[in-house]
Amino acid sequence: MITLCGFGVSNYYNKLKLILLEKQIPFEERVVYPWERDSFLQASPLGKIPFIETEYGGLSESQVVLEYLEECYPAIPLYPAGAYERAKCRELIQHLELNAEWVARRLYKECFFGGTVSDETKREAHERLTVGLTAAGRLAKFSPYIFGATFTAADCVAYVHFTMIRLASSAIYSEDMLARHLPLAVDYMAFMDERPHIRTMMAERAAAMTAFVAQNVPYDG
Ligand SMILES: N[C@@H](CCC(=O)N[C@@H](CS)C(=O)NCC(=O)O)C(=O)O
């Protein structure tokens, strides 16, 4: 049995939760917060969440975990058939994470966790997010899924990260940068909102947010 460790506010945690749900893999969840890192550095060497516990030991980095799950549980595949198409799907995931979410993440401290971010960081993040979202738009299909006619792992990634990018850019720049640079993503997100496992994940995210806030521990993402 796979145990998913982390907390349900994290977009990277929810990426893996969606993967597990969509692939119908039996799993348990264990709530672990980053400030408890001393207790799980064995499984996640930087003390980041999410990570999983398997019968063989721990495994960290959400994309590595995704690939592991895809390999171990092939019954419901979340990558397209064909090596080139699979690589293109992974390419989209990598751009979404490295050049969009990872940039927006620099704003989370101010928009979600009560801290402040310098004007220079805000300017730089705006510039790089514009570039990153525009680049992702050259790969995204939205027909109706992000990588084409079938639901793939890229949808699990895009949904959780787009949610954060919209919230962060609206809070910091008073502008939904997703809508501005990927206008087709607006209807896509509304379409994805209706997907049963996404509804489950988002309802549990709301409950996890309440539990997280109740911890009252300083955290900046
Ligand atoms: N590249 C990592 C990113 C994970 C990540 O940044 N997790 C955040 C929560 S969303 C975290 O653990 N932050 C606490 C920290 O970095 O100490 C992955 O894909 O798993």
Side-chain angles (χ1 to χ4, degrees):
M1 171 79 85
I2 300 285
T3 305
L4 177 62
C5 304
F7 63 117
V9 172
S10 155
N11 41 331
Y12 287 93
Y13 181 90
N14 286 328
K15 162 185 167 181
L16 290 185
K17 187 164 169 172
L18 272 181
I19 294 282
L20 287 158
L21 290 168
E22 292 287 349
K23 289 181 73 62
Q24 297 177 23
I25 299 171
F27 70 103
E28 293 170 343
E29 292 179 81
R30 187 191 309 148
V31 178
V32 172
Y33 293 107
W35 53 83
E36 299 167 339
R37 64 174 54 80
D38 285 352
S39 67
F40 62 81
L41 290 170
Q42 195 84 358
S44 177
L46 268 181
K48 285 185 182 290
I49 61 96
F51 60 93
I52 60 166
E53 294 286 1
T54 74
E55 60 186 297
Y56 311 105
L59 189 65
S60 67
E61 283 298 325
S62 63
Q63 193 56 33
V64 173
V65 174
L66 190 168
E67 301 293 335
Y68 174 75
L69 296 174
E70 192 65 12
E71 199 172 322
C72 295
Y73 299 89
I76 301 177
L78 287 184
Y79 279 123
Y84 180 70
E85 285 298 294
R86 274 201 297 280
K88 290 300 286 182
C89 190
R90 291 186 174 106
E91 178 191 30
L92 172 58
I93 289 174
Q94 185 136 331
H95 280 284
L96 290 172
E97 296 207 323
L98 281 185
N99 302 320
E101 197 282 337
W102 209 248
V103 178
R105 175 159 289 268
R106 299 178 67 189
L107 308 170
Y108 295 176
K109 184 177 177 179
E110 181 166 318
C111 56
F112 301 126
F113 305 120
T116 49
V117 169
S118 72
D119 286 346
E120 192 190 341
T121 297
K122 287 180 193 170
R123 259 195 312 275
E124 198 190 330
H126 192 277
E127 211 172 286
R128 290 182 53 199
L129 201 46
T130 300
V131 171
L133 289 172
T134 305
R138 295 187 184 114
L139 296 171
K141 299 180 180 168
F142 300 121
S143 59
Y145 298 102
I146 196 161
F147 195 67
T150 47
F151 183 93
T152 65
D155 292 295
C156 299
V157 173
Y159 186 84
V160 295
H161 296 338
F162 284 171
T163 299
M164 298 299 273
I165 290 167
R166 299 186 95 171
L167 290 170
S169 62
S170 301
I172 302 288
Y173 308 119
S174 305
E175 177 191 28
D176 177 351
M177 290 185 69
L178 187 74
R180 167 106 187 258
H181 298 291
L182 286 178
L184 293 177
V186 174
D187 282 351
Y188 164 77
M189 289 298 278
F191 166 61
M192 294 288 281
D193 281 340
E194 300 307 316
R195 198 169 172 90
H197 290 317
I198 287 191
R199 292 173 85 100
T200 302
M201 181 275 287
M202 288 303 269
E204 291 176 8
R205 178 184 186 270
M209 183 64 86
T210 306
F212 168 74
V213 170
Q215 298 285 311
N216 204 19
V217 174
Y219 178 68
D220 64 14

